[in-house]
Amino acid sequence: MKRILFTLLIVAPFCLAAQTTTKTESFTVNGKVKSPVTITLADVKKLKAYNLGDVVITNHLGEVKSTAKNLSGVLLKDVLKDIALDTDQPKLYSEYYFVCRGNDGYKVVYSWNELFNTPIGNSVYLLTEKNQETIQQMKESILMLSSQDERTGRRYLKNLEAITVRRAE
């Protein structure tokens, strides 16, 4: 029993520290782009914001986990539209995809076609307001949400730190 208690006292602080993430103030877009870019909160705030209302966050089974209220956000495709891919051949855009990574290591993937060539692209947001808190006030920012997903929690990303553009091989 003493051994278990000792182990918990020694290991628990490290486990808790590993789960702690810091709020992000910017993120980079890198990878298969002509020039890497850093996007700041100020850059995000310059884009057109949309009112999303309330969005129910569900897990992989479709079970309700929470409701994000009073949401506003900018479209991810508006953030990415001026980023030049490393090709001059538009027919190759279909081979590109975006790996969005939070600072806790969680990753979400969108294809170029999904964002720029389907209705889903009109529902993938970087949140600028949640629960009447601005992006600067939110505990976890930069938040990303695909509001039309059936299981919204799967692509609900907290503390976005990088979007890496890749090309399918």
Side-chain angles (χ1 to χ4, degrees):
M1 181 66 173
K2 288 181 184 178
R3 210 180 269 180
I4 292 171
L5 184 57
F6 177 76
T7 302
L8 286 174
L9 289 174
I10 297 300
V11 174
F14 293 106
C15 293
L16 292 174
Q19 294 174 355
T20 302
T21 58
T22 56
K23 179 178 171 170
T24 52
E25 301 287 330
S26 65
F27 62 94
T28 59
V29 181
N30 56 43
K32 300 286 185 181
V33 295
K34 290 189 178 177
S35 179
V37 176
T38 298
I39 309 288
T40 66
L41 294 180
D43 297 326
V44 171
K45 288 193 69 152
K46 291 177 188 174
L47 299 171
K48 180 179 179 183
Y50 298 88
N51 182 356
L52 286 70
D54 299 346
V55 175
V56 175
I57 307 299
T58 59
N59 67 10
H60 66 287
L61 299 173
E63 300 166 338
V64 175
K65 290 300 182 185
S66 65
T67 300
K69 295 183 180 277
N70 303 313
L71 299 179
S72 294
V74 301
L75 288 170
L76 179 60
K77 71 179 186 177
D78 288 347
V79 173
L80 298 174
K81 72 179 179 185
D82 294 326
I83 306 292
L85 303 179
D86 70 352
T87 183
D88 293 323
Q89 300 177 46
K91 71 178 184 177
L92 296 179
Y93 290 179
S94 295
E95 298 177 10
Y96 286 80
Y97 60 99
F98 305 92
V99 180
C100 307
R101 186 183 73 243
N103 65 6
D104 61 355
Y106 190 73
K107 295 176 186 159
V108 171
V109 177
Y110 295 97
S111 71
W112 183 91
N113 270 322
E114 185 176 18
L115 290 178
F116 293 98
N117 198 28
T118 72
I120 279 291
N122 294 323
S123 65
V124 179
Y125 296 94
L126 297 182
L127 298 181
T128 56
E129 192 170 321
K130 176 184 172 191
N131 297 330
Q132 299 181 353
E133 291 182 328
T134 66
I135 195 168
Q136 290 90 354
Q137 297 169 321
M138 284 188 262
K139 179 181 137 192
E140 299 167 319
S141 78
I142 299 166
L143 294 169
M144 180 184 290
L145 172 71
S146 181
S147 64
Q148 295 300 309
D149 283 0
E150 291 182 15
R151 288 164 174 67
T152 50
R154 298 302 76 213
R155 295 201 282 192
Y156 185 54
L157 184 106
K158 301 170 185 172
N159 301 306
L160 175 66
E161 75 174 2
I163 297 176
T164 302
V165 180
R166 296 189 179 152
R167 185 173 172 198
E169 302 286 325

